[in-house]
Amino acid sequence: MAEFHDTAEQPTRALVLHPDIQTDPERREAGPALEEAMALALALPGLEVVAGEVVNVRQPQPGTLFGTGKMDEIKALIDGHDIALVLVDGPVTPVQQRNLEEAWKVKLLDRTGLILEIFADRAATREGVLQVELAALSYQRTRLVRAWTHLERQRGGLGFVGGPGETQIEADRRAIDEAMTRIRRQLSKVTKTRALHRASRAKVPFPVVALVGYTNAGKSTLFNRLTGADVMAKDMLFATLDPTMRAIELAGGVKVILSDTVGFISSLPTELVAAFRATLEEVLEADLILHVRDIASPATEEQASDVARILASLGVREDVPQLELWNKSDLLEPEQAEALRNQASRRDEVLVISAVSGAGLDELQEAVTAELEGARITERLKLAFSDGRQRAWLHEHDVVESEVQTEKGWTLDLRWSPRQKAEFDRL
């Protein structure tokens, strides 16, 4: 099996192409899209990104995506720079992939294939690894243009880049189906275990605060700053993929569970969103969502829209409060940073911070405390003596402010969050 070698001596020389398809009404601005695609490529170890180009495509060709003239131009670029891998920032059909590889004599990956490779390299937990494999098999089943030796790999990376060639399609399909069945079985066991862990966390009376944001917005750096944890935080897309949770005490004495999640990205294929449901489930259970934005990025508005769209598609409840954190203010000119702070001061839900310098983090902790305390409701509840289980649950979750025993049972004054009330109602 071919593998990436994470050494300076043997990098795979890569060319990144962003097809700017004129007939696509939803196409993104070409310049920022190419920059993001090149950052994606740099997130994969063992690649040397030699060049990146925007390719104008008036009408996509069914067999090759690009027209004959463009094909020849790109072929000359590939030969001139000794390119071994071409990354196309967009969907490429199996037929197009095969024809382009034959014409250019290189390996080719589309956007989904590249993201899968990155996910495979980053996934750390057992569930993360299984989810990546399942997503990869689902994606590749429609292609069958590589032998499936990567199923037996010993390290990260799915082997799409350096597979040993064609194999019998039916044998491949059987191998894939059997592998998918086996992984689903394993995943079922892992998911049950995670459900038990989640149930045990639900007994902790601390609210859950979830960090979300576009990939590379600085979530993991902020997480590390607030928790003192050593989560991987590099200036690299998809630096973290697995759910990371820590219990912390904020400056005001409020204890919370802080959850770091996978970074969102535009045009994330649906099978990949499904594959990382495990990470994103933490967002669905959050009492407060912190949306971290890279405010220094020229594409910050588009990125924020992508995050909002994915949160909505996940079914995040509208009543879950959100704070928007304009991060990386340290990268701005002083005048820009001051203007942003003035702008943010007019919006209660926005804070300007720098996870690197620590600017604005005291105000962030105060705002989180205020949101969570404000989200708690006071309520009086009467329980019969037969409701001992419910009474024990309330005390276990530390939501009882006072209690009086009556002839028929107990009268309790409670202070709890909507999430805790919903959990109690499900008892």
Side-chain angles (χ1 to χ4, degrees), residues 36-94:
E36 181 181 285
M38 294 181 73
L40 277 173
L42 290 168
L44 196 58
L47 283 191
E48 178 188 350
V49 179
V50 176
E53 282 208 2
V54 173
V55 184
N56 292 318
V57 180
R58 285 199 181 88
Q59 186 68 42
Q61 300 301 308
T64 56
L65 180 60
F66 306 109
T68 309
K70 284 294 179 187
M71 292 269 294
D72 293 341
E73 283 179 31
I74 296 168
K75 171 66 172 168
L77 186 62
I78 289 168
D79 292 342
H81 289 82
D82 195 24
I83 303 293
L85 173 67
V86 173
L87 303 168
V88 179
D89 182 37
V92 178
T93 68

Side-chain angles (χ1 to χ4, degrees), residues 18-36:
H18 173 75
D20 189 21
I21 300 174
Q22 309 296 309
T23 54
D24 181 2
E26 297 182 0
R27 78 181 195 271
R28 300 161 63 209
E29 192 177 339
L34 176 63
E35 284 181 23
E36 181 181 285

Side-chain angles (χ1 to χ4, degrees), residues 208-230:
V208 175
V209 177
L211 295 173
V212 304
Y214 205 80
T215 192
N216 215 34
K219 292 183 293 76
S220 295
T221 303
L222 177 61
F223 183 88
N224 291 346
R225 185 95 188 194
L226 292 173
T227 65
D230 187 25

Side-chain angles (χ1 to χ4, degrees), residues 319-340:
D319 61 342
V320 176
Q322 292 189 33
L323 291 176
E324 198 169 281
L325 310 183
W326 291 358
N327 190 31
K328 302 193 181 182
S329 60
D330 55 296
L331 299 181
L332 300 173
E333 294 296 328
E335 298 81 10
Q336 282 181 291
E338 185 60 32
L340 274 179

Side-chain angles (χ1 to χ4, degrees), residues 197-212 223 226-227 243-250 253-261 281-283 285-290 368-369 372 376 397 417 419-420 423:
H197 290 164
R198 199 164 62 245
S200 67
R201 273 205 312 273
K203 293 181 180 177
V204 180
F206 304 152
V208 175
V209 177
L211 295 173
V212 304
F223 183 88
L226 292 173
T227 65
T244 309
M245 308 189 79
R246 297 284 187 281
I248 63 169
E249 184 172 328
L250 300 176
V254 174
K255 293 180 180 178
V256 303
I257 294 176
L258 192 64
S259 172
D260 189 16
T261 61
E281 271 182 3
E282 308 300 343
V283 180
E285 296 179 358
D287 294 285
L288 173 65
I289 293 173
L290 301 181
V368 170
T369 299
L372 293 174
R376 292 180 179 266
H397 285 72
S417 70
R419 178 176 67 92
Q420 290 170 321
E423 287 173 14

Side-chain angles (χ1 to χ4, degrees), residues 4 16 28 33 36-45 47 85-91 108-123 128-129 131-133 135-137 139-140 143 153 156-161 214-215 236-241 262-276 306 310:
F4 283 119
V16 179
R28 300 161 63 209
E36 181 181 285
M38 294 181 73
L40 277 173
L42 290 168
L44 196 58
L47 283 191
L85 173 67
V86 173
L87 303 168
V88 179
D89 182 37
L108 185 140
L109 278 184
D110 68 358
R111 183 182 175 89
T112 304
L114 173 61
I115 293 173
L116 278 168
E117 284 281 355
I118 297 168
F119 277 19
D121 191 71
R122 296 283 185 275
V129 171
Q131 292 281 25
V132 172
E133 289 189 3
L137 290 170
Y139 165 72
Q140 282 293 93
R143 296 181 173 258
R153 72 186 189 279
L158 295 168
F160 298 162
V161 173
Y214 205 80
T215 192
M236 178 186 291
L237 296 185
F238 295 120
T240 54
L241 284 179
V262 63
F264 298 165
I265 193 166
S266 65
S267 308
L268 186 64
T270 52
E271 63 263 45
L272 296 186
V273 173
F276 285 85
D306 287 328
I310 293 175

